[in-house]
Amino acid sequence: MIFMPLMEVKNLEKTYHDEDVATAVLKGISFSINEGEFVAIMGPSGSGKSTLLHILGFLDTPTGGRYFYEEKLAGKYSEEEIANVRNKKLGFVFQSFNLLPRTTVLENVKLPLLYSDIDEELWNDMARSAIESVGLTHRLDFEPSQLSGGEKQRVAIARALVNNPQVIFADEPTGNLDSKSGEIVIEIIQKLHKEKGHTIILITHETYTAEYAERIIRLHDGMVESDERVATRRVGKNFLK
């Protein structure tokens, strides 16, 4: 049986132009990711990690090379198709949480459903289920200002989960957290992969965090420096049972 990759980039390039200055951020990157993989993308600041994530998540477009999602060239997707993929198949978790400040946890998690074709009568149950999966049912009616940093990130994960996406993109999800909160967050992400089968693309500069993945792609100066399976994968301590 032949398995086609879920995502594949071939000689991917991205160059930003500012007046007469051209800055090459990605310089001919090639790799593929299969459905159900947990992949960490590592590299120092400026190596192109977040730019790559934005292209994989249809938030930006390459200036060279090709990107295929589900075997279809990204450039062939219409605006409507891209919006549909982002809403139904992709979930995003960012370092800065991006929660609405004067809105409860429940309402924040329900946000992606506003743009879906799912019956509104199901929204509360779907949001509650996602919140339960990150261990925050006791915070349903809290606002972000009443939460710790780790709790805010767990709400962001629940929001990314609410549509049961195919892929979860996590861009430095532990970057603003203390070590204990960061460990809880990355273990939740690992649990989602192991128990729910989500494809995880984790952007991080922390070796400790990357070792929760099955595979680590290291970028340096806009190019792939290495692409290796994790020999001994770090296993969580199950903070959330």
Side-chain angles (χ1 to χ4, degrees):
M1 183 180 294
I2 299 175
F3 292 93
M4 299 303 294
L6 176 63
M7 290 174 273
E8 185 173 17
V9 296
K10 296 181 178 181
N11 298 314
L12 197 72
E13 298 177 356
K14 181 66 179 182
T15 300
Y16 291 102
H17 296 272
D18 183 9
E19 296 181 350
D20 295 329
V21 179
T23 303
V25 179
L26 299 178
K27 306 171 184 177
I29 286 178
S30 298
F31 62 82
S32 62
I33 294 173
N34 294 324
E35 186 167 4
E37 280 199 274
F38 184 171
V39 180
I41 299 176
M42 290 192 69
S45 178
S47 61
K49 303 186 302 295
S50 292
T51 298
L52 177 58
L53 179 144
H54 290 165
I55 292 173
L56 296 178
F58 288 92
L59 300 174
D60 200 355
T61 56
T63 50
R66 293 177 291 172
Y67 169 40
F68 296 88
Y69 183 82
E70 294 186 322
E71 302 180 51
K72 182 175 178 178
L73 186 64
K76 298 294 185 181
Y77 282 81
S78 67
E79 289 295 324
E80 183 178 353
E81 287 174 325
I82 289 173
N84 189 58
V85 168
R86 282 204 300 251
N87 182 254
K88 293 184 177 181
K89 296 188 175 185
L90 310 180
F92 296 91
V93 180
F94 296 104
Q95 181 177 350
S96 56
F97 318 132
N98 293 346
L99 302 179
L100 295 182
R102 286 177 292 279
T103 306
T104 66
V105 166
L106 182 63
E107 294 301 317
N108 263 289
V109 173
K110 283 165 58 176
L111 278 175
L113 300 174
L114 297 175
Y115 308 98
S116 73
D117 54 8
I118 297 170
D119 192 326
E120 189 173 350
E121 292 181 357
L122 301 175
W123 292 2
N124 274 345
D125 286 345
M126 292 176 68
R128 287 174 183 272
S129 178
I131 292 165
E132 182 180 4
S133 72
V134 299
L136 286 179
T137 52
H138 60 300
R139 296 285 194 259
L140 280 175
D141 297 320
F142 282 51
E143 295 182 358
S145 62
Q146 299 172 289
L147 304 176
S148 68
E151 288 173 331
K152 290 176 184 177
Q153 194 59 290
R154 286 154 69 182
V155 174
I157 292 171
R159 183 182 57 195
L161 282 177
V162 73
N163 271 339
N164 192 30
Q166 186 178 32
V167 184
I168 296 175
F169 292 101
D171 191 358
E172 298 281 6
T174 63
N176 283 337
L177 307 179
D178 60 69
S179 58
K180 178 66 176 292
S181 297
E183 195 171 359
I184 292 173
V185 163
I186 197 64
E187 287 188 14
I188 289 171
I189 292 173
Q190 186 187 55
K191 185 177 179 180
L192 293 171
H193 169 255
K194 291 172 65 177
E195 296 184 3
K196 305 292 186 181
H198 294 284
T199 303
I200 308 290
I201 311 298
L202 170 69
I203 302 295
T204 183
H205 66 277
E206 302 167 332
T207 300
Y208 178 88
T209 302
E211 288 173 349
Y212 280 87
E214 300 168 327
R215 174 184 170 196
I216 299 176
I217 298 173
R218 288 183 169 84
L219 301 184
H220 182 74
D221 195 25
M223 295 179 284
V224 174
E225 185 176 55
S226 64
D227 182 351
E228 299 173 333
R229 294 281 167 184
V230 177
T232 305
R233 189 182 185 194
R234 191 175 296 276
V235 178
K237 300 174 183 175
N238 297 313
F239 287 105
L240 300 178
K241 303 295 184 183

